[in-house]
């Protein structure tokens, strides 16, 4: 039986707060092969019974993943129901589904510039706000008339906030409104709060913290980077049964007071003084929660409504709870809590104490060679959380407006004896559905894949940060660019990256240059840091996030809306590179190049590959991707223009970085990797370039010495040029430097440096030694796309036409992976057993694939498929369904 298994909007199941008509998509499920949609009927209504339709369209098309409901007109703050019915051809004949279960989305304000009326209110004192990182609370009472049908709260803040109605926290979201380029773009959240209100008097309240907005942040450790006063805004819309609407807005009538959060910052942690608590403060006024002199008038803070943007999904919340594994005494006498996993989040404590006593922890990542807490790599970050008791009681508490990167917690103060049951780690990251899993016969590789996933979890907290623990935690564009494909294999990152790319665009410099960190918190004081002073923006490999990430999202999801949204930014970046080309080469200020490569001079962060080479390689790549994007969008003029820019950049690369006899002028691994991976090697010299890369690898006894720009592509540059054995050998290296070395050192995330901790237990320089830094985890894409073999056919996107090409090797007995695509789940497994290789594959409905076996495969079992030689490989074209084939290799 054919069914519709899900309906989504902008790649989210139940978004709340859409400010535009979403893109629709759905997946099919059936028990036969070759399912191909031929027609759909899509309906949108205001009620779940679909009695009064707003939209009813039948289309003869196979499109099920990026459907635009042309002509559908939406209203602000309205709940909508949608359903779809599908007709399909299948191997069992034509089939028709029943209607899908109704799916829901809720709109935000469609035109905040005109519709937003709420003012931003602050309880901070103008005399102290510039230096204070203490929390505040604001509140106001309001009346709800009988007959309430629906209520929607649109809320945001300058700073971080938690909002309450009648004493109840409105949502499980944390760290709202997130981190954006606040002065150019501020997100607000929309909540359906009908059930939290009642006729008569109600109370709204919010607690605020400094957060990214005004706390100490950035490499320059400046404060008040966006403003010096936290403020909260809420526009609560009440919809009554008779159709009338009224709003409750923040304004001068609200009251404010100090919060029990006496200090809170991103880097330094949080301190909470229970003596300042007001029980039931966000409920209607009582003598208990309204002591004389405590509440005072608020003042308003101006903010232009036109810069507000809705956030419908992808918000940060507690995604996992991990109990402490052990509490132990370190050799130096300190008490340490071990959670067994490096992560980003907070520690929830349950503790008993008396008035004036405190429970205090300091979060950190690693133990030193002696088994003591290693704190030096935190740099200036204090990463401390402290709770002070107001009276004798047992409390369960965690911070509200900060997060830490940690596996361990140092117990600084504790009433009584700490036990494992007192501590639970609360893992924080943006909401993302799992999108894939890879496993194989080598447990160390499985642990590596685990580490890569946890690097993503730890650093995808509203922005793609470099690391979650030290006094940095910035949205480095280079890290995001090289990891984005791997991220898409692991998790549904469409919403996450789409949000961040909008900030990249608004932070783009007037000349089109892209900031090295987004949000660009350092833009007004780059002189205070040597790196930002010499390389304030425009670094190739970093700025190319503007072109690479939108293209990767289009490739992985098959939805061109990301290209339409980001195309102006993509074009401005390539035009910036064109404008800064001299003598045929892109050249702008100091370039970072193959950052922290192991072939760097001692004491240098800059790899041996010339930055002129890496810059030109990325210039050519970005021009090529822009031309491809223009082609997808139907912009033929731009497609031709930038295809020409790409050809010229590639010619200039060859002219400058290849000698007349075909040798590369830079004899580094990264130079050869980029030349091969980006298609910049002239065909007549390609084999020579491949051979020289193998020689450079052999000179290092099969080890890599690459940095940020070369490492992600090394295995792919080998395997995609027929060097499978060397690719597997490189992946499976167990000694330093190699991915499995970190695993054998006990890593649970990916490190910033290959030798972050050396075999003797000593550490790399503490100035830059994160143990949770996902960049080198970019090799994860190779595990899924090359080792397991799940890929796409050239010229396609969104996995509508996959290329399933398993390539057993490396001594692995088996490998398997699945990946959740817009069409559904692809799965591929290969297994080697006494010379017989068995491949099993699953292709989701409405998609197709080519199964491409190894060159020289001698078929034993075909499962009814017809194989023919294509490019030297036995290949079968298949539709949806499950398949099993086996073969041996010709001797």
């Amino acid at each position: 039986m054919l069914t519709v298994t899900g309906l989504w909007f902008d790649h989210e199941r139940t978004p709340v707060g859409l400010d535009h008509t979403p893109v629709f998509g759905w997946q099919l499920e059936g028990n036969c092969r070759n399912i191909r949609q031929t027609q759909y009927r899509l309906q949108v209504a205001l009620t779940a019974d679909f009695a009064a339709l707003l939209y009813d369209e039948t289309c003869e098309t196979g499109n099920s993943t990026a459907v635009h409901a042309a002509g559908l007109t939406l209203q602000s703050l309205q709940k909508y129901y949608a359903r779809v019915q599908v007709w399909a051809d299948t191997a069992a004949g034509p089939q028709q589904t029943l209607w899908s279960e109704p799916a829901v989305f809720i709109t935000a304000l469609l035109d905040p510039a005109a519709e937003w009326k709420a003012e931003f209110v602050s309880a901070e004192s103008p005399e102290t706000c510039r230096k204070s990182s203490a929390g505040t609370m604001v509140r106001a009472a309001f009346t709800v008339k009988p007959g309430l049908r629906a209520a929607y709260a649109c809320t945001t803040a300058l700073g971080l906030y938690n909002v309450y109605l009648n004493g109840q926290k409105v949502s499980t979201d944390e760290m709202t409104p997130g981190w954006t380029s606040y002065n150019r773009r501020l997100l607000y959240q929309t909540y359906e709060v009908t059930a939290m209100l009642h006729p008569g008097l109600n109370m709204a309240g919010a607690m605020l913290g400094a957060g990214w907005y005004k706390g100490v942040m950035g490499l320059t450790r400046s404060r008040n980077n966006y403003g010096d006063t936290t403020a909260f805004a809420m526009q609560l819309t009440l919809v009554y049964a008779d159709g009338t609407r009224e709003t409750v807005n923040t304004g001068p009538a609200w009251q404010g007071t100090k919060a029990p959060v006496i200090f809170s910052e991103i880097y330094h942690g949080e301190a909470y003084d229970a003596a300042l608590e007001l029980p039931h403060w966000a409920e209607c006024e009582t003598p208990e929660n309204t002591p004389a002199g405590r509440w005072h008038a608020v003042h308003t803070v101006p903010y232009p409504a036109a810069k507000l943007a809705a956030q419908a999904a992808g918000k940060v919340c507690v995604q996992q709870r991990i109990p402490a594994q052990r509490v132990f005494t370190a050799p130096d006498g300190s008490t340490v809590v071990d959670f067994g996993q490096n992560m980003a989040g907070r520690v929830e404590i349950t503790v008993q104490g008396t008035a004036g006593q405190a429970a205090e922890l300091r979060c950190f990542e690693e133990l030193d060679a002696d088994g003591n807490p290693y704190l030096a790599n935190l740099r200036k970050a204090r990463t401390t959380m402290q709770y002070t008791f107001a009276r004798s009681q047992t409390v369960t508490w965690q911070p509200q407006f900060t997060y830490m990167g940690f596996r361990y917690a140092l117990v600084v103060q504790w009433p009584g004896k700490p036990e494992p049951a007192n501590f639970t780690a609360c893992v924080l990251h943006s909401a993302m559905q799992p999108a894939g899993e890879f496993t194989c016969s080598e447990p160390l590789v499985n642990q590596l894949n685990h580490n890569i996933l946890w690097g993503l979890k730890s650093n995808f907290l509203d922005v793609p940060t470099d690391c979650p623990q030290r006094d940095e935690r910035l949205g480095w564009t280079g890290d995001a660019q090289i990891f984005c494909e791997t991220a898409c294999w692991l998790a549904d990152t469409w919403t996450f990256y789409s949000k961040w790319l909008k900030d990249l665009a608004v932070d783009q410099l007037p000349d089109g240059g892209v900031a090295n960190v987004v949000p660009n918190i350092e833009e007004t004081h780059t002189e205070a840091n040597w790196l930002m002073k010499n390389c304030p923006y425009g670094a190739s490999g970093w700025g190319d996030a503007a072109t690479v990430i939108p293209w990767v999202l289009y490739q992985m999801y098959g939805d061109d809306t990301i290209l339409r949204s980001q195309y102006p930014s993509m074009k401005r970046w390539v035009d910036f590179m064109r404008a800064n080309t001299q003598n045929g080469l892109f050249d702008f200020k100091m370039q970072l190049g193959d950052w922290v490569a192991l072939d760097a001079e001692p004491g240098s962060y800059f790899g041996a590959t010339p930055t002129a080479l890496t810059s030109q390689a990325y210039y050519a790549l970005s021009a090529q991707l822009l031309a491809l994007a223009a082609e997808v969008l139907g912009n033929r003029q731009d497609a031709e223009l930038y295809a020409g820019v790409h050809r010229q950049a590639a010619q200039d690369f060859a002219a400058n970085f290849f000698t007349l006899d075909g040798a590369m002028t830079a004899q580094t691994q990264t130079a050869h990797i980029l030349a091969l991976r980006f298609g910049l090697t002239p065909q007549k010299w390609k084999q020579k370039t491949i051979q020289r890369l193998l020689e450079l690898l052999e000179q290092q006894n099969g080890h890599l010495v690459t940095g940020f720009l070369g490492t992600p592509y090394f295995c792919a540059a080998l395997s995609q040029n027929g060097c499978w054995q060397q690719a597997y050998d490189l992946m499976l290296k167990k000694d330093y430097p190699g991915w499995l070395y970190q695993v054998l050192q006990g890593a649970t995330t990916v490190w910033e440096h290959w030798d972050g901790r050396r075999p003797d237990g000593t550490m790399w320089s503490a100035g830059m030694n994160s143990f949770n830094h996902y960049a080198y985890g970019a090799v994860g894409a190779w595990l899924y796309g090359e080792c397991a073999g799940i890929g796409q056919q050239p010229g396609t996107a969104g996995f509508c036409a996959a290329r399933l090409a398993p390539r057993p090797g490396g001594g692995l007995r088996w490998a398997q992976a699945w990946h959740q695509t817009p069409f559904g789940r692809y799965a591929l497994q290969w297994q080697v057993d006494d010379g017989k290789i068995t491949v099993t594959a699953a292709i989701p409905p409405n998609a197709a694939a080519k199964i491409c076996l190894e060159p020289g495969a001698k078929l034993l079992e075909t499962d009814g498929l017809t194989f023919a030689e294509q490019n030297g490989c036995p290949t079968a074209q298949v539709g949806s369904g499950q398949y099993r084939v086996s073969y041996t290799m010709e001797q």
Side-chain angles (χ1 to χ4, degrees):
M1 179 179 177
L2 187 66
T3 59
V4 178
T5 59
L7 179 61
W8 69 79
F9 319 96
D10 283 358
H11 303 270
E12 297 287 344
R13 292 297 183 188
T14 53
V16 178
L18 287 170
D19 59 2
H20 58 275
T21 302
V23 171
F24 295 78
W26 53 85
Q27 294 173 1
L28 300 173
E29 189 174 281
N31 55 7
C32 61
R33 290 179 174 178
N34 301 325
I35 296 171
R36 274 292 189 183
Q37 175 184 299
T38 58
Q39 180 176 292
Y40 72 79
R41 185 181 181 187
L42 176 64
Q43 293 184 337
V44 181
L46 291 176
T47 57
D49 60 6
F50 292 84
L53 291 174
L54 300 174
Y55 181 86
D56 187 0
E57 188 73 27
T58 300
C59 291
E60 293 185 5
T61 175
N63 181 19
S64 64
T65 64
V67 176
H68 295 268
L72 173 61
T73 301
L74 304 180
Q75 295 181 340
S76 295
L77 301 175
Q78 178 68 58
K79 180 184 291 187
Y80 293 91
Y81 298 85
R83 65 182 183 179
V84 67
Q85 186 178 26
V86 170
W87 291 258
D89 288 336
T90 77
Q95 294 190 35
Q96 175 183 342
T97 72
L98 300 174
W99 284 107
S100 65
E101 290 295 318
V104 173
F105 67 92
I106 295 174
T107 54
L109 298 173
L110 302 184
D111 184 8
E115 297 178 276
W116 187 276
K117 306 300 180 185
E119 297 180 272
F120 285 75
V121 297
S122 176
E124 288 198 305
S125 164
E127 294 76 30
T128 61
C129 64
R130 288 191 58 80
K131 297 181 180 179
S132 173
S133 290
T136 56
M137 301 187 296
V138 295
R139 72 175 187 178
F142 61 96
T143 300
V144 175
K145 296 181 296 188
L148 182 69
R149 189 184 74 198
Y152 304 100
C154 296
T155 54
T156 189
L158 304 174
L160 299 178
Y161 77 93
N162 286 321
V163 60
Y164 302 82
L165 288 173
N166 294 318
Q168 182 181 351
K169 190 168 181 280
V170 163
S171 77
T172 58
D173 296 342
E174 300 287 346
M175 307 295 283
T176 47
W179 187 10
T180 58
S181 299
Y182 294 109
N183 294 331
R184 300 183 177 106
R185 181 170 174 266
L186 176 63
L187 298 185
Y188 68 91
Q189 290 70 47
T190 303
Y191 301 106
E192 184 182 17
V193 295
T194 316
M196 304 179 73
L197 303 177
H198 53 254
L201 199 63
N202 293 258
M203 180 70 78
M207 188 178 293
L208 296 111
W212 296 284
Y213 183 75
K214 61 169 283 187
V216 171
M217 283 295 300
L219 296 176
T220 56
R221 303 188 190 94
S222 302
R223 65 178 302 114
N224 304 312
N225 289 285
Y226 299 101
D228 57 21
T229 307
T230 58
F232 172 70
M234 180 186 75
Q235 186 158 315
L236 174 63
T237 299
L238 307 174
V239 184
Y240 292 97
D242 62 2
T244 60
R245 293 189 173 206
E246 64 180 21
T247 61
V248 175
N249 300 327
T250 45
W254 280 54
Q255 299 175 307
T257 188
K258 56 188 175 182
V261 177
I262 59 175
F263 175 87
S264 184
E265 287 191 0
I266 301 296
Y267 295 158
H268 300 313
E270 190 163 304
Y272 186 94
D273 185 355
L276 294 176
E277 289 180 337
L278 286 176
H280 313 293
W281 67 274
E283 299 176 23
C284 289
E285 292 185 16
T286 66
E288 183 183 29
N289 68 21
T290 316
R294 181 68 186 268
W295 292 95
H296 57 79
V298 299
H299 62 96
T300 60
V301 178
Y303 189 86
K307 295 182 180 180
L308 293 172
Q311 181 183 27
K315 290 168 277 190
V316 175
C317 58
V318 175
Q319 303 287 348
Q320 255 176 285
R321 293 171 59 85
I322 300 177
Q325 290 191 358
R326 59 180 179 139
V327 176
F328 66 95
T329 301
D332 64 2
S334 59
T335 301
V336 177
V337 185
D338 179 10
F339 294 98
Q341 172 64 54
N342 204 354
M343 71 190 88
R346 308 163 179 157
V347 180
E348 179 183 88
I349 59 174
T350 299
V351 57
Q352 182 178 12
T354 61
Q357 288 187 315
E360 181 178 350
L361 305 178
R362 186 175 189 192
C363 295
F364 66 99
E365 288 188 294
E366 285 290 335
L367 303 173
D368 65 19
D370 298 320
N372 297 314
Y374 175 61
L375 306 177
N377 73 325
L378 301 176
R379 301 194 306 213
K380 299 293 184 181
R382 296 199 295 271
T383 65
T384 300
M385 46 179 285
Q386 182 188 80
Y387 179 94
T388 301
F389 286 86
R391 59 188 181 280
S392 296
Q393 62 178 145
T394 298
V395 299
T396 297
W397 173 82
Q398 63 173 287
Q400 296 185 62
F401 302 122
T402 189
Y403 75 96
M404 280 76 85
F406 65 99
R407 170 179 170 168
Y408 301 96
L410 171 65
V411 180
V412 180
Q413 300 181 68
W414 195 265
K417 181 182 178 181
E419 302 287 350
N422 297 128
F423 308 96
T424 301
C426 299
V427 180
L428 286 175
H429 61 77
S430 296
M432 300 170 287
Q433 288 297 313
E437 184 177 4
F438 173 92
T439 52
C440 68
S441 59
E442 174 52 74
L444 296 178
V445 175
N446 298 336
Q447 181 64 41
L448 171 64
N449 187 63
H450 167 99
N451 294 0
I452 295 169
L453 175 60
W454 275 89
L456 179 152
K457 290 180 178 182
S458 304
N459 285 289
F460 278 36
L461 198 151
D462 205 58
V463 303
T465 57
D466 56 330
C467 57
Q469 73 297 103
R470 66 186 180 218
D471 54 350
E472 191 165 349
R473 312 186 205 182
L474 303 176
W476 284 96
T477 48
D479 303 52
Q481 178 267 130
I482 61 178
F483 189 71
C484 63
E485 183 183 352
T486 294
C488 291
W489 284 106
L490 297 171
D492 187 341
T493 58
W494 174 274
T495 299
F496 176 81
Y497 278 128
S498 297
K499 175 261 181 189
W500 183 73
L501 285 170
K502 288 183 173 66
D503 282 301
L504 183 149
V506 300
D507 268 350
Q508 213 160 348
L509 279 293
D511 60 4
V514 172
N516 296 332
V517 295
V518 172
N520 190 13
I521 195 170
E522 307 284 10
E523 66 178 312
T524 60
H525 37 69
T526 57
E527 296 298 310
N529 175 267
W530 75 270
L531 183 60
M532 289 296 181
K533 177 181 179 180
N534 292 288
C535 185
Y537 69 97
S540 60
W542 276 251
D544 299 278
T547 52
V548 173
I549 298 179
W551 183 253
V552 169
L553 291 179
Y554 168 69
Q555 285 285 289
M556 297 297 285
Y557 297 94
D559 184 348
D560 66 9
T561 57
I562 191 65
L563 299 181
R564 296 183 187 280
S565 171
Q566 295 301 128
Y567 189 79
S569 172
M570 298 171 72
K571 187 173 179 179
R572 291 184 65 213
W573 168 244
V574 175
D575 286 346
F576 166 82
M577 300 181 89
R578 293 174 68 198
N580 287 282
T581 296
Q582 301 177 28
N583 301 318
L585 298 177
F586 170 65
D587 181 24
F588 183 78
K589 296 187 181 292
M590 187 183 84
Q591 292 290 308
L592 301 176
D594 198 27
W595 188 247
V596 296
L598 293 175
D599 58 9
E601 293 291 332
S604 173
Y605 295 123
F606 299 90
T609 306
T611 58
L613 185 152
T614 58
S615 296
Q616 189 68 10
Y618 268 96
Y619 175 31
L621 175 66
S622 279
Q624 181 183 38
L625 297 183
L626 180 59
L628 292 171
E631 187 74 36
V632 170
L633 298 178
N635 188 336
R636 288 296 308 147
Q637 185 175 356
D638 273 5
E640 293 174 4
L641 170 64
Y642 291 104
V645 174
H646 168 250
R647 284 193 300 271
Q648 186 61 54
Q651 291 170 10
D652 291 335
F653 182 93
N656 283 275
F657 303 114
F658 282 91
T659 64
L660 294 177
D661 64 353
M664 292 204 73
T665 58
Q667 289 296 299
T668 66
Q669 293 176 351
T670 290
H672 292 73
I673 291 166
L674 295 183
L676 291 169
R677 189 68 173 83
F678 292 177
L680 299 173
T681 308
Q683 189 62 37
K684 60 183 178 180
W685 295 332
K686 186 172 182 180
Q687 202 55 47
K688 186 171 185 175
T689 305
I690 296 169
Q691 184 58 39
R692 184 54 182 156
L693 177 59
L694 295 178
E695 292 170 358
L696 291 168
L697 183 61
E698 182 58 30
Q699 286 177 8
Q700 301 296 331
N701 296 317
H703 293 91
L704 51 75
V705 289
T706 49
F708 268 39
L709 299 187
T711 300
Y713 305 119
F714 206 155
C715 286
L718 293 170
S719 62
Q720 291 172 4
N721 287 288
C723 304
W724 280 96
Q725 186 60 51
Q726 292 88 346
Y728 269 111
D729 288 347
L730 181 62
M731 164 56 62
L732 295 171
K733 284 290 182 187
K734 296 179 181 179
D735 57 345
Y736 163 81
W739 284 282
L740 300 188
Y741 165 78
Q742 297 181 5
V743 173
L744 287 167
Q745 286 287 312
T748 61
T749 44
V750 176
W751 298 351
E752 182 174 18
H753 295 280
W754 298 106
D755 57 345
R757 182 172 60 222
R758 302 183 181 96
D760 63 0
T762 60
M763 302 292 189
W764 207 83
S765 170
M768 200 170 70
N769 193 26
S770 165
F771 290 94
N772 198 345
H773 201 285
Y774 61 67
Y776 289 147
V779 73
W782 186 86
L783 294 176
Y784 286 83
E786 301 287 327
C787 177
I790 303 175
Q792 299 193 66
Q793 296 176 36
T796 67
F799 291 89
C800 63
R803 182 178 183 270
L804 306 181
R807 292 295 182 265
L812 300 180
R813 299 187 310 278
W814 58 269
Q816 63 183 15
W818 61 262
H819 179 57
Q820 192 73 18
T821 75
F823 292 93
R825 178 173 294 192
Y826 278 89
L828 188 61
Q829 178 185 36
W830 55 260
Q831 183 168 338
V832 182
D833 186 11
D834 292 331
K836 177 184 176 182
I837 301 165
T838 302
V839 174
T840 57
I843 296 95
N846 212 27
K850 286 183 178 180
I851 298 178
C852 304
L853 304 180
E854 298 177 81
K858 184 178 180 180
L859 289 159
L860 300 175
E861 177 187 358
T862 64
D863 202 1
L865 302 179
T866 300
F867 283 84
E869 290 285 326
Q870 288 189 10
N871 300 319
C873 300
T875 302
Q877 181 72 46
V878 301
S880 65
Q882 298 186 14
Y883 302 89
R884 175 188 174 94
V885 299
S886 62
Y887 63 94
T888 59
M889 293 299 294
E890 294 180 351
Q891 298 300 318

